[in-house]
Each structure stands twice: as C-alpha cells, then as structure tokens.
C-alpha cells in the first residue's frame, strides 16, 4: 500500500468515526432514560421523589410528551426541579418548551423549583421569544413552589419534609470563581432545620463539602451535564467551568453521612453534544 492510499484510508476512517460520533450524539440528545436510586432518610420512609434538572429546552420540547408520560408512570410524591430549565442566552430562544414541561409536571405531583445559573441569567436579561422573566413566571402553574434561598415544608401523606433551594451569586459559577463554605450557606439559607427531614436543591455540585458540612439530609445537584462526554472508568470529561475531569461529575457522593446525588440532566446548551451520556430523569425512593 503506497503513501497516498494510506492517507486516503486514514481520511476515510476519520470521517467515518466523526460521522458515527455525530449520529450517536444526536441519538442521545433525542432520548432519555429513567435512573433509580434508594436512600435512607429517617422520617420519609416509603416516599418517592422525582428529580428533574438541566432541561435547557431539550431538543425544542420534542421530548416533553415522553417525559410527562414517564413522570406519570413513576407516580412520585413530589417533583423537585434543580434549575436550568431554560437557556436564557440568546433572544431567539424559545422558553415555551420549559413552561409546557413544568406545567405538565405540576399536574402530576407537587413541584418545588430551585434556580440554576441560567434562570438567573434569564431574569437579568432581555425578552426571549416574547417572554420576559415576569411573563415566564406568570405563565407557570400557580401550584409550582419556587425556593430561592428559602425553604418550603411539604406534607407528604403522614410525613413532612423541608426542601431548601440554594441560589448563589454568579461569581460562584465562573471559572476559578468564589469558594463556597458552610458559613456562606448559613448566610443564604440560615441554619438547617433539625426538626424534620431536609432536602437541599443546590444546582452546582462543586461545593459538596460545604453542603455536607451544612448537614443536608440529601443534596440534589446537576449543572455538569454528566461531564458532557463520559469515558469508561474515567467518567465525565469537562464541566461548565471548563475544568477537565471534574470531581463531582455524576452519581452519588457521601461525606459524614450526608449524601449528594448529581444528575446528568435532560438537555444541553451552547455546544449540543453528548457522548455515552444519555439524558435522564432521576427517581429517588426513600427507604
């Protein structure tokens, strides 16, 4: 085989590989799976949570009917939203898919909604497809409970749970940004309620040590999109701060008896790519 043939074969193999990766990313972005976890939280035995995060107007709402069908089949006691349901980046973006999904979820079970960095960006920016922030919120089901540096107590049958929503300043989200401490969380949320079970919705998993030190019964996070590309053994490749191989990319982490669950979320933004990282709904059964 001469040099010209070798080069042609390498080009053909590279093109075939790139095409296969592109098609795989399209397939993953247009699908989702349901992932199940079990945790022991005394006082909430037998309850089921559905965690939805980082929707980012996934494929312009094409997944909404399937997501809602799956959510109804799961029969959760409460649905917890971890933020970044919208993109909030460019004026032509349509926030209607996020509104439709949230409203559909509110017809299935009580919904508690915390904010991510993209909701914060949307709130401080111009209109998106005719909706400003106030119009977006007004278009959501009145039963949706928002928790922005506050908490709400839900009665789930014969059991109660306090759900906190942490919304940090934008400086915590930038590359090499601020460090978050337990004392910072105390400033945002106050001290944790010790009289009942607690769940903390904290969008960015970077600060797990602070969440655990604060003492949440269970922390639910997203933001990292599972590391975008997931490699065997290694895990996620990159996070939104452009840190390679982030520590808290996906799954369950625990410190001092305080667990954190990090979801890869349902969507993607800016660069719509996922490899070996199927979007997901997360079911949490409390035992």
């Amino acid at each position: 085989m001469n040099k010209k043939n070798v080069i042609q074969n390498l080009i053909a193999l590279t093109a075939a590989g790139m095409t296969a990766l592109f098609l795989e990313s399209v397939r993953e972005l247009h699908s989702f799976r349901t992932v199940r976890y079990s945790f022991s939280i005394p006082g909430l035995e037998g309850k089921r949570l559905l965690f939805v995060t980082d929707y980012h107007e996934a494929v312009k709402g094409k997944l909404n009917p399937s997501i809602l069908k799956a959510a109804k089949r799961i029969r959760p006691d409460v649905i917890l939203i971890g933020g970044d349901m919208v993109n909030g980046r460019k004026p032509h973006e349509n926030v209607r898919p996020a509104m439709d999904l949230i409203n559909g979820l509110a017809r299935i079970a009580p919904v508690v909604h915390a904010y991510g960095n993209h909701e914060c960006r949307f709130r401080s920016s111009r209109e998106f497809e005719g909706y400003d922030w106030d119009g977006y919120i007004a278009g959501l089901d009145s039963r949706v409970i928002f928790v922005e540096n506050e908490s709400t107590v839900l009665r789930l049958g014969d059991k109660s749970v306090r759900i906190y929503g942490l919304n940090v300043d934008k400086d915590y989200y930038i590359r090499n940004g601020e460090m978050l401490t337990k004392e910072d969380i105390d400033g945002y949320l106050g001290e944790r309620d010790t009289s009942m079970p607690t769940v903390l919705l904290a969008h960015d998993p970077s600060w797990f040590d602070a969440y655990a030190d604060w003492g949440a019964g269970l922390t639910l996070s997203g933001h990292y999109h599972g590391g975008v590309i997931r490699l065997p053994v290694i895990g996620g490749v990159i996070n939104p701060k452009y840190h390679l191989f982030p520590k808290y990319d996906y799954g369950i982490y625990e410190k001092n008896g305080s667990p954190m669950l990090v979801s890869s979320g349902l969507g993607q933004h800016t660069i719509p790519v996922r490899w070996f990282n199927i979007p997901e709904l997360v079911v949490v059964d409390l035992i």
Side-chain angles (χ1 to χ4, degrees):
M1 183 179 293
N2 60 38
K3 183 176 180 180
K4 181 178 180 181
N5 288 337
V6 169
I7 293 173
Q8 288 176 336
N9 287 340
L10 285 174
I11 292 173
L13 286 171
T14 300
M18 292 179 67
T19 299
L21 287 173
F22 170 77
L23 292 174
E24 173 59 19
S25 180
V26 171
R27 183 190 74 82
E28 292 186 21
L29 288 169
H30 285 76
S31 62
F32 72 93
R33 60 179 181 164
T34 300
V35 180
R36 296 176 181 270
Y37 297 91
S38 295
F39 291 94
S40 176
I41 300 182
L44 288 180
E45 296 88 351
K47 300 304 177 184
R48 174 171 288 174
L49 316 178
L50 175 61
F51 181 46
V52 179
T53 191
D54 294 274
Y55 171 70
H56 290 291
E57 303 148 23
V59 290
K60 301 180 180 180
K62 294 177 183 177
L63 292 176
N64 281 11
S66 297
I67 292 171
L68 292 172
K69 183 177 180 180
K72 188 173 183 180
R73 187 169 59 246
I74 290 164
R75 301 179 65 184
D77 293 289
V78 61
I79 299 171
L80 304 178
I81 294 178
D84 280 9
M85 298 299 283
V86 297
N87 279 329
R89 297 178 67 88
K90 299 177 182 179
H92 68 268
E93 289 170 356
N94 186 0
V95 298
R96 190 73 227 184
M99 297 170 69
D100 291 343
L101 179 61
I102 295 168
N103 289 340
L105 292 172
R107 291 190 286 270
I108 295 171
V111 172
V112 180
H113 190 329
Y115 294 155
N117 52 307
H118 284 258
E119 278 87 9
C120 296
R121 180 184 289 120
F122 179 17
R123 181 166 56 182
S124 64
S125 62
R126 53 197 178 279
E127 289 187 354
F128 289 83
E129 287 292 320
Y131 290 93
D132 61 10
W133 176 255
D134 290 338
Y136 170 72
I137 295 298
L140 295 179
D141 193 297
S142 61
R143 292 169 292 185
V144 176
I145 301 169
F146 294 93
V147 283
E148 182 184 14
N149 293 329
E150 58 186 343
S151 66
T152 186
V153 174
L154 286 186
R155 187 75 178 169
L156 306 179
D158 60 342
K159 305 178 188 299
S160 294
V161 58
R162 184 177 292 278
I163 301 169
Y164 291 88
L166 178 66
N167 183 29
V168 298
D169 296 336
K170 63 180 181 180
D171 290 342
Y172 288 100
Y173 283 109
I174 63 175
R175 182 179 175 86
N176 302 321
E178 298 282 345
M179 294 290 292
L180 190 74
T181 66
K182 173 190 177 298
E183 290 70 29
D184 294 325
I185 299 177
D186 285 339
Y188 282 114
L189 297 175
E191 294 186 356
R192 177 180 59 89
D193 184 351
T194 59
S195 68
M196 67 179 69
T198 57
V199 175
L200 172 63
L201 299 175
H203 186 66
D204 188 342
S206 301
W207 317 122
F208 174 50
D209 285 345
Y211 306 151
D213 291 343
W214 186 72
L218 171 64
T219 298
L220 299 176
S221 294
H223 189 49
Y224 281 11
H225 306 162
V228 183
I229 301 167
R230 296 196 60 77
L231 302 177
V233 181
I234 294 174
V237 171
I238 192 168
N239 70 10
K241 298 176 183 177
Y242 303 106
H243 295 157
L244 293 175
F245 310 112
K247 183 176 181 179
Y248 301 120
D249 60 326
Y250 179 79
I252 300 172
Y253 305 88
E254 186 168 346
K255 177 185 176 183
N256 300 330
S258 181
M260 177 176 71
L261 192 163
V262 183
S263 171
S264 65
L266 281 166
Q268 197 70 17
H269 68 87
T270 308
I271 302 174
V273 169
R274 277 185 185 242
W275 286 324
F276 321 117
N277 181 21
I278 296 173
E280 64 181 25
L281 292 174
V282 176
V283 178
V284 178
D285 285 312
L286 301 174
I287 58 176

